[in-house]
Amino acid sequence: MASTSSSAPSSEATGSSTGPSPVAIVCVGMAGSGKTTFMRRINSYLHGKNDPPYVINLDPAVLNVPFESNIDIRDSVNYQEVMKQYNLGPNGGILTSLNLFATKVDQIVNLLEKRTTPDPSNPQKKPVQHILVDTPGQIEVFVWSASGTILLESFASSFPTVIAYIIDTPRTASTSTFISNMLYACSILYKTKLPMILVFNKTDVKDASFAKEWMTDFEAFQAALQEEQAGDGMGEGGPGGSGYMNSLVSSMSLVLEEFYSHLSFVPVSSRLGTGMEEFFAAVQEKAEEFKQDYLPELQRRRQERDEQRRKAREEELDKMMKGMSVNAAKGKGKEKEKEGEEDDMDAGDDVDDDDIPDDENDREGLKSRYEAALTSEGDSIMADASFAKYLHQQRR
């Protein structure tokens, strides 16, 4: 990958561009939810619309992917070698591979910014409007890891970023598994603080209308819960009883009622290709939500970061100036002791007063040069580091 010179957020994320903003779609989901198949479907859908996306694969353990990736973690990190060298298991190998790959985040963002902006040398080349990111099947390895946080916040610092949470609809037909999925989605939403779309996949196997009803009608969910309880008698109170599980699921459904109002619900079938238009309509809606809700917070944190850097520079500069003044005073005192001029103490003060303007001018000149050097250095990627890393440090 080519090296980068800056990791500053692009104008697309700040809304300064007059054209449509490219959107990063990060697909996450439980193992077996059809996440990779969904990625293939939306990729082919965009190609069919003559709007090819930029595809990133972040799963180091996958053997084959049914789509062509522009950036593939497997090209940079050998998952099997990581497991051998660090004596790790499968999950530890994936996590370590992501950590190693996260060190290239600035290069990734630089490549994305080049592909999402017009090319002056080739005006006919259409900029990319969608960035598709496939994540490991072990969802917790990506969402709850430091490297996953850095990657997500790096994308969000440059582009409107949307989380697509893929749900296996047939396996969510029971009230308990439905609530479990919703709780996991809730935790991801508040961990990433990014707009989220609930994608109920495999609707060709089971229709997702029941999930929509449960999310919008509390009484309907309670009725389904009581029906299940009466049918299999799994509760502590027997059939029709109010066992611990029944009570817990009922309470959680009431708690999540407000959570549902912040999500978009899209039923799709990755196999048949249904629901694609609804999904991308939801993506555009969430991209606008990103600009309205997430971006102001991002800008506030950036200003806070810049203010902290400015104060740190001023403190460092003041310490350096004070140290130079003390050293200069000590040097003059030693010279006076060697000369042995006991009667010239007052005169020496006069001489020092006469010399102050020159010393002050020298210090002011040095100070201005030092500040200029700091400003120049701050523009480099090595001095500025990454805003995403700053955000991650603030969350500790």
Side-chain angles (χ1 to χ4, degrees):
M1 295 182 183
S3 60
T4 66
S5 59
S6 174
S7 61
S10 68
S11 59
E12 302 291 352
T14 58
S16 60
S17 176
T18 57
S21 300
V23 182
I25 305 172
V26 182
C27 297
V28 299
M30 299 288 189
S33 61
K35 177 169 49 61
T36 301
T37 308
F38 176 75
M39 276 280 299
R40 178 181 63 178
R41 175 58 64 180
I42 59 177
N43 181 34
S44 62
Y45 175 83
L46 290 174
H47 277 280
K49 294 289 185 179
N50 198 25
D51 185 18
Y54 200 88
V55 183
I56 302 175
N57 173 45
L58 295 180
D59 189 350
V62 65
L63 294 179
N64 297 293
V65 288
F67 49 81
E68 185 177 353
S69 301
N70 299 95
I71 297 178
D72 197 324
I73 187 175
R74 297 175 299 171
D75 296 334
S76 303
V77 182
N78 190 318
Y79 168 69
Q80 296 291 342
E81 287 299 320
V82 168
M83 291 178 62
K84 291 179 182 179
Q85 292 184 16
Y86 295 97
N87 194 24
L88 299 171
N91 288 340
I94 294 174
L95 181 58
T96 304
S97 298
L98 281 172
N99 291 339
L100 294 172
F101 188 72
T103 61
K104 302 178 180 292
V105 64
D106 296 310
Q107 300 178 34
I108 297 170
V109 172
N110 180 261
L111 290 173
L112 292 175
E113 289 178 347
K114 288 181 179 179
R115 290 292 291 112
T116 54
T117 54
D119 187 358
S121 62
N122 187 8
Q124 302 299 326
K125 189 175 183 180
K126 184 179 178 181
V128 170
Q129 295 300 319
H130 295 90
I131 302 167
L132 307 182
V133 183
D134 192 17
T135 59
Q138 290 79 353
I139 186 172
E140 68 282 354
V141 172
F142 177 78
V143 174
W144 297 99
S145 65
S147 54
T149 301
I150 290 173
L151 289 167
L152 279 177
E153 291 176 347
S154 298
F155 295 146
S157 67
S158 296
F159 315 98
T161 304
V162 177
I163 300 292
Y165 181 60
I166 317 301
I167 299 173
D168 188 341
T169 304
R171 295 185 180 179
T172 317
S174 69
T175 55
S176 58
T177 55
F178 175 81
I179 285 296
S180 299
N181 261 292
M182 294 302 102
L183 287 174
Y184 215 117
C186 182
S187 67
I188 294 173
L189 177 66
Y190 288 103
K191 175 65 170 63
T192 62
K193 293 183 174 61
L194 293 172
M196 176 181 287
I197 302 173
L198 294 181
V199 181
F200 280 82
N201 196 16
K202 304 182 183 180
T203 55
D204 55 304
V205 178
K206 182 174 181 59
D207 187 74
S209 57
F210 73 92
K212 181 67 173 178
E213 184 181 17
W214 288 353
M215 292 175 62
T216 56
D217 189 346
F218 174 75
E219 296 298 333
F221 181 82
Q222 292 297 317
L225 179 61
Q226 293 298 328
E227 182 179 351
E228 287 184 10
Q229 189 71 14
D232 53 32
M234 293 180 62
E236 294 176 357
S242 57
Y244 171 76
M245 193 63 185
N246 186 20
S247 177
L248 176 63
V249 172
S250 178
S251 300
M252 289 297 98
S253 65
L254 185 61
V255 171
L256 292 173
E257 191 172 9
E258 178 66 22
F259 166 69
Y260 296 147
S261 62
H262 299 285
L263 300 178
S264 293
F265 173 94
V266 180
V268 303
S269 171
S270 298
R271 187 175 70 87
L272 301 179
T274 58
M276 292 296 104
E277 293 184 2
E278 293 80 359
F279 172 74
F280 282 100
V283 167
Q284 292 303 319
E285 178 184 344
K286 290 301 178 181
E288 294 300 322
E289 179 182 319
F290 173 93
K291 296 176 184 177
Q292 296 174 5
D293 299 335
Y294 182 86
L295 191 58
E297 177 66 13
L298 187 71
Q299 292 173 338
R300 184 190 66 79
R301 293 189 180 188
R302 185 179 298 114
Q303 292 175 356
E304 181 180 311
R305 186 277 308 264
D306 292 340
E307 182 66 18
Q308 290 179 359
R309 288 179 56 211
R310 185 187 65 80
K311 290 181 179 180
R313 287 175 178 176
E314 290 181 352
E315 291 177 0
E316 183 180 355
L317 183 59
D318 290 340
K319 289 180 181 179
M320 188 190 73
M321 293 295 112
K322 290 178 181 179
M324 292 179 62
S325 299
V326 171
N327 290 336
K330 289 181 179 179
K332 290 182 179 180
K334 290 181 179 179
E335 290 179 359
K336 291 177 182 178
E337 290 177 0
K338 289 180 180 179
E339 293 176 358
E341 298 177 357
E342 298 178 356
D343 296 334
D344 292 341
M345 293 299 295
D346 294 336
D349 291 340
D350 294 339
V351 171
D352 288 343
D353 291 339
D354 293 338
D355 292 341
I356 284 176
D358 295 336
D359 293 341
E360 288 297 329
N361 289 336
D362 292 341
R363 280 198 292 268
E364 287 299 324
L366 179 60
K367 182 176 180 180
S368 63
R369 292 194 299 271
Y370 184 72
E371 288 178 340
L374 277 177
T375 304
S376 175
E377 183 183 6
D379 292 336
S380 68
I381 189 62
M382 296 303 294
D384 190 38
S386 169
F387 181 56
K389 295 177 183 177
Y390 165 80
L391 288 176
H392 179 62
Q393 292 174 355
Q394 296 299 309
R395 289 189 175 187
R396 291 181 178 177

